Amino acid sequence: MDGVRRLTAQLTGRRRARAESPAVDEFPRGVRTYSPVTGVGSPLSPPLLVAQADGGLFGRCTLGIAHEGPPGYGHGGMSAMLLDELMGWACTAAGTPAMTVSLDVRYHRPVPVETPLHVFANVTGTKGRKIYSDGSIATEADSATLLVTAQAVFIAPDAGQKLQLFPAVTS
């Protein structure tokens, strides 16, 4: 048993604190290695690859069988997660990192697995600390046919909240 404990100690490093960003992350304005949406280090992530687009951000990904809801189609929760993530990135790209207050998702058609997807998000307005965003999912082959759309409200934490939520973030 002592051998197992010694080996376990060698293979497990220090666990990071709950509010501490992993050293490999560029939080809040960049790569999140273990993000379940964009992280290349996450076994759940499609991963969503994000780039600038006219008027917002777009992401590309392909859902796999692990993301399946009904046979051959993505789980609706995956669509909501993709949109929530990219809409949050759109807030950050517009200059204000923020967190989701509400997310209204509309499912127009099923999202196929093993098909390249195009996800789009943009900021549509602000009011005080509130940021409004729209998003959509389509296939890359037919980006005009929207499969899922969403509207969201985000809120930028004030300085005190930001320090409480993310004490290790200095920017």
Side-chain angles (χ1 to χ4, degrees), residues 33-146:
T33 302
Y34 304 110
S35 163
V37 184
T38 58
V40 296
S42 169
L44 180 60
S45 172
L48 181 68
L49 305 175
V50 180
Q52 293 283 336
D54 287 337
L57 296 178
F58 75 92
R60 289 191 170 111
C61 70
T62 301
L63 297 180
I65 299 302
H67 309 113
E68 195 173 57
Y73 297 99
H75 189 284
M78 287 302 300
S79 296
M81 190 166 67
L82 290 169
L83 288 165
D84 181 50
E85 181 79 2
L86 193 60
M87 293 162 87
W89 277 53
C91 294
T92 300
T96 309
M99 296 183 302
T100 312
V101 172
S102 67
L103 178 66
D104 180 20
V105 181
R106 305 266 177 183
Y107 300 92
H108 306 282
R109 293 187 164 102
V111 175
V113 297
E114 300 179 341
T115 302
L117 300 175
H118 183 271
V119 186
F120 179 78
N122 66 324
V123 170
T124 59
T126 60
K127 183 177 181 183
R129 292 179 25 227
K130 288 185 180 179
I131 303 159
Y132 301 90
S133 181
D134 286 347
S136 62
I137 299 175
T139 64
E140 281 198 5
D142 183 8
S143 60
T145 301
L146 301 181

